[in-house]
Amino acid sequence: MDDMNKIYCETKRYYNKYSDYYDKERTRGYYEFINDLEIDIVNTYIKNDNKILEVGCGTGIILNRISRVVHSKNIIGIDLSEKMLYEAKKKNLNVIMCNANMLPFKNNSFDIVYSFKVIPHIPEIENVIRDIDRVTKKDGLMILEFYNPISFKFLANKISCFFEGWKVYCRYDSLHKIKSYLPNNTKIIHIRGIRIFTFISILAKIPIISHIFRFLEENFCDNLILRNFGGYFVVVIKKC
């Protein structure tokens, strides 16, 4: 087995196992406000007649909430993990299993393609972005999330990996590097930084303190300077 296939197999195994408790962990505390800020930026741009694709939908936490805004037949999710998709199907979501760099859709199929917490775990990042661009309509949007190396998240994850070991492939990209991945027929129209102030995720579990950090995150995520220090970069890209 070559290195690339090994990474995909390990990632799939990790998320198949994670599916048993993913919803319980990812819908409260720290992840709840991260989800809210991600969903908010998608909702800013969607219209109810848009055709939408989520790349790496997992158990459908975000897909389920977005599907309340658009007609359910117009939104679909894909994921590598069959067990994650099993949980998503329990929510009556339209999902299929496939690899993110081999999307089984025709060219120019979707008005919006979004992806959160997925692309940083894919080694062939340029291939994935190229295929996302292919299935996005002209004047459509790609809303893609990357991990920032200049952030508290990067530092916290490095410390965690030192003590607990490597769990799944993960990459961190500067804004300059992110721009180099994008096809020539695209332009960035917005950047949001998420998890700027929350230096450890446990702060989101502490009453009062969690509200302070949530207030800061919500009010400064689009600040032109502070967004550069967000653990997550959400980049809104228009296909021209």
Side-chain angles (χ1 to χ4, degrees):
M1 182 183 294
D2 61 35
D3 290 343
M4 200 67 68
N5 284 334
K6 183 179 179 181
I7 288 171
Y8 278 113
C9 287
E10 288 176 345
T11 300
K12 185 173 182 177
R13 190 181 306 116
Y14 173 81
Y15 282 103
N16 276 340
K17 185 177 180 180
Y18 199 176
S19 66
D20 292 336
Y21 56 95
Y22 189 86
D23 277 15
K24 183 177 180 180
E25 180 178 288
R26 296 281 181 135
T27 54
R28 60 184 69 184
Y30 165 73
Y31 285 108
E32 181 183 21
F33 82 74
I34 297 294
N35 292 342
D36 288 347
L37 287 173
E38 293 166 342
I39 291 165
D40 174 70
I41 199 164
V42 177
N43 284 340
T44 298
Y45 293 100
I46 61 175
K47 300 175 183 178
N48 60 12
D49 61 344
N50 282 165
K51 290 188 176 180
I52 300 172
L53 170 66
E54 179 175 349
V55 175
C57 64
T59 62
I61 292 172
I62 291 178
L63 189 70
N64 192 35
R65 289 178 59 179
I66 298 296
S67 66
R68 299 171 191 169
V69 181
V70 298
H71 196 289
S72 59
K73 72 176 183 179
N74 288 339
I75 184 167
I76 187 170
I78 66 107
D79 203 273
L80 186 68
S81 165
E82 66 269 20
K83 290 192 175 181
M84 285 285 201
L85 293 179
Y86 176 77
E87 297 299 324
K89 288 175 181 177
K90 289 181 182 178
K91 302 179 178 79
N92 296 316
L93 297 171
N94 184 18
V95 295
I96 60 173
M97 187 173 74
C98 71
N99 195 312
N101 61 9
M102 293 184 288
L103 299 174
F105 307 107
K106 295 180 181 180
N107 295 353
N108 310 307
S109 294
F110 299 97
D111 298 289
I112 293 178
V113 181
Y114 69 87
S115 182
F116 299 117
K117 307 182 191 74
V118 173
I119 289 178
H121 301 295
I122 301 175
E124 302 165 294
I125 188 168
E126 290 178 273
N127 289 346
V128 171
I129 293 174
R130 191 179 304 116
D131 212 35
I132 288 174
D133 175 71
R134 177 185 65 79
V135 302
T136 303
K137 295 178 181 179
K138 187 173 187 267
D139 295 323
L141 298 177
M142 296 170 275
I143 304 175
L144 309 179
E145 187 172 77
F146 304 83
Y147 295 166
N148 179 13
I150 308 174
S151 65
F152 286 127
K153 173 181 170 58
F154 174 81
L155 182 61
N157 285 4
K158 285 297 181 182
I159 293 172
S160 176
C161 286
F162 178 80
F163 289 104
E164 300 177 14
W166 181 86
K167 293 180 180 179
V168 66
Y169 174 86
C170 190
R171 65 185 302 133
Y172 298 83
D173 293 295
S174 67
L175 282 175
H176 177 75
K177 193 67 176 176
I178 291 167
K179 291 174 183 178
S180 74
Y181 298 145
L182 303 182
N184 292 331
N185 64 328
T186 63
K187 66 176 181 179
I188 294 174
I189 62 172
H190 187 70
I191 298 169
R192 170 168 288 186
I194 298 177
R195 191 180 170 180
I196 299 168
F197 303 96
T198 310
F199 53 92
I200 52 174
S201 58
I202 197 172
L203 293 173
K205 298 180 180 180
I206 304 173
I208 301 178
I209 291 177
S210 65
H211 293 294
I212 294 172
F213 278 93
R214 183 168 186 134
F215 173 84
L216 291 171
E217 299 287 356
E218 289 175 342
N219 284 276
F220 292 97
C221 60
D222 297 317
N223 181 278
L224 294 178
I225 296 174
L226 293 176
R227 70 185 185 186
N228 294 304
F229 302 101
Y232 306 85
F233 283 135
V234 178
V235 185
V236 183
I237 306 150
K238 183 174 181 179
K239 180 175 178 178
C240 302

